[in-house]
Amino acid sequence: MNTKKNIHIILIIVILMMNSCASKMFYTTLDVLKPADISFPLNINNIAIVNNSYPQPSNVGHTTENISGKKSDEIILFDSAAIFITAALSDALNSQSFFNNVNHSLVNQNLTKNHDSINVLSKERVKTLCNMFKADAVMALNKVVVNDCRYEFLVENDQGFKYINEIDVKTKTDWTIYPLNGKAINIQYVDSFLWQTESYDRKKSFEELPSRYDALVDASILTGANIAERMIPRWDKEERYFFVSNNKSMQQAMDSVSHRKWEKAIELWENAAQTSKSNKIKYQSYCNIATSYEILGDIDQAIKYIENAENTITNNSFALEKDGFYILTYHQNLLKRKIETKILKQQIGN
């Protein structure tokens, strides 16, 4: 698999100071690479995406709720959800360059004419599709269930009555990944989308909504794009904090942080923890060291020091109520990151 990403954390900026109920803390944002929902075998470099679903009947899943709260079923001719979803998924995966090549088949593999059934592809059909598209695996969309409702509400405020119109669309998709050689993988996704308008003019509020058909098209395209994001490792932003103190060593350590001199900062916090008689200085220093090691990519050392902080804070029941919540939560985050790091190594081969 091709990827230009790595599992290191990028420190954005440490400049914003905020006051917590327990201590003063410096806030930082980290870019953290998260594992994909699916761990593709490393020998899968090319995939073929196929539609293996039968269209949902036009009289299923479409409702309207009027201003009085009464619901009614609607008939909407929209049988292209699977086409838009698979095409958008293929485009999004190709743009990410995680796989060498992603092909999209325009031929529907489902000949059952039954929307509710799952059509399992035979080994022979998988082999044929892989040969046709020079793929290592086939990703088949087995079923699409679309539920959409148009709502109208009337709310009153100081300026009068306001009309609110919404189109709420939920898509449920069922997928199977068929490796050319290997065990099939099944996965389901649920995506939700909402369009909303509001106006004191009832007609204007209604007319500013997209048409029901356009909303369904957009929801289908967004569904495919969302699934692509879940299928490959992705960058997420996470918040971290550094405890600050009047302790001389801790102040000097924060000066080192501003210049990204992590080893020096760790040395100063270690000195503060070893020389101070204050449990608060100790656990805050240990926690800061843990954060620094996480930034450096050493999750094991980060866990070691957050455990030191946790063991120290148990001697201070007052702090446990305040700072302790952050430390306990951060410990759990680090344990989760260790698991995710192992999964990432499997997914990107590093």
Side-chain angles (χ1 to χ4, degrees), residues 152-342:
E152 185 179 22
F153 309 98
L154 182 63
V155 296
E156 185 178 10
N157 58 26
D158 295 339
Q159 297 177 335
F161 290 96
K162 180 183 290 187
Y163 295 92
I164 298 175
N165 276 270
E166 294 180 352
I167 296 179
D168 184 12
V169 182
K170 291 182 174 59
T171 60
K172 299 179 181 179
T173 54
D174 184 284
W175 303 80
T176 299
I177 299 166
Y178 298 92
L180 182 57
N181 299 300
K183 187 177 180 181
I185 304 168
N186 183 257
I187 193 166
Q188 296 84 33
Y189 292 109
V190 177
D191 291 89
S192 299
F193 310 96
L194 180 69
W195 290 261
Q196 185 182 80
T197 63
E198 55 182 63
S199 174
Y200 293 101
D201 185 313
R202 185 178 187 181
K203 182 180 179 182
K204 181 180 179 182
S205 176
F206 176 79
E207 290 178 344
E208 287 181 348
L209 273 180
S211 72
R212 199 73 163 253
Y213 183 88
D214 287 345
L216 291 172
V217 171
D218 289 346
S220 300
I221 293 172
L222 290 170
T223 294
N226 286 351
I227 291 170
E229 290 294 320
R230 302 181 187 115
M231 284 179 57
I232 59 178
R234 61 194 179 276
W235 291 99
D236 282 348
K237 293 189 180 297
E238 293 192 358
E239 296 178 349
R240 296 291 185 267
Y241 298 90
F242 288 101
F243 288 103
V244 297
S245 168
N246 292 328
N247 178 276
K248 183 178 179 180
S249 292
M250 291 189 71
Q251 288 181 333
Q252 291 174 341
M254 289 308 300
D255 290 338
S256 296
V257 167
S258 64
H259 294 91
R260 302 184 184 182
K261 296 181 178 179
W262 302 111
E263 290 82 1
K264 183 61 177 177
I266 289 171
E267 179 185 332
L268 289 163
W269 278 316
E270 189 76 68
N271 179 67
Q274 297 302 323
T275 59
S276 177
K277 296 181 179 180
S278 167
N279 275 344
K280 185 174 184 179
I281 296 296
K282 291 180 184 295
Y283 72 68
Q284 289 185 348
S285 296
Y286 288 142
C287 184
N288 290 352
I289 293 172
T291 304
S292 299
Y293 273 120
E294 184 187 13
I295 291 168
L296 291 172
D298 193 336
I299 303 301
D300 288 334
Q301 281 291 92
I303 291 173
K304 171 186 173 182
Y305 276 93
I306 201 63
E307 287 175 348
N308 287 345
E310 193 172 306
N311 292 335
T312 304
I313 205 170
T314 54
N315 297 323
N316 189 329
S317 58
F318 175 76
L320 183 60
E321 182 181 346
K322 300 177 179 180
D323 297 352
F325 177 77
Y326 172 73
I327 289 175
L328 292 172
T329 302
Y330 184 37
H331 188 188
Q332 294 305 309
N333 287 341
L334 286 173
L335 293 174
K336 182 181 177 182
R337 283 222 58 224
K338 183 172 182 178
I339 296 172
E340 291 176 343
T341 300
K342 291 180 180 179

Side-chain angles (χ1 to χ4, degrees), residues 82-142:
I83 297 173
F84 287 114
I85 291 171
T86 53
L89 173 61
S90 176
D91 289 345
L93 287 177
N94 272 316
S95 68
Q96 295 288 345
S97 299
F98 184 71
F99 298 99
N100 290 343
N101 194 32
V102 179
N103 280 301
H104 176 221
S105 173
L106 299 177
V107 179
N108 192 336
Q109 306 298 313
N110 192 328
L111 303 178
T112 66
K113 297 186 177 181
N114 186 344
H115 173 258
D116 293 323
S117 69
I118 300 294
N119 179 42
V120 179
L121 297 181
S122 66
K123 290 183 179 180
E124 291 75 16
R125 187 56 185 162
V126 170
K127 185 176 180 179
T128 298
L129 289 167
C130 285
N131 289 336
M132 186 183 304
F133 293 103
K134 295 182 172 59
D136 307 308
V138 172
M139 183 169 184
L141 174 57
N142 302 317

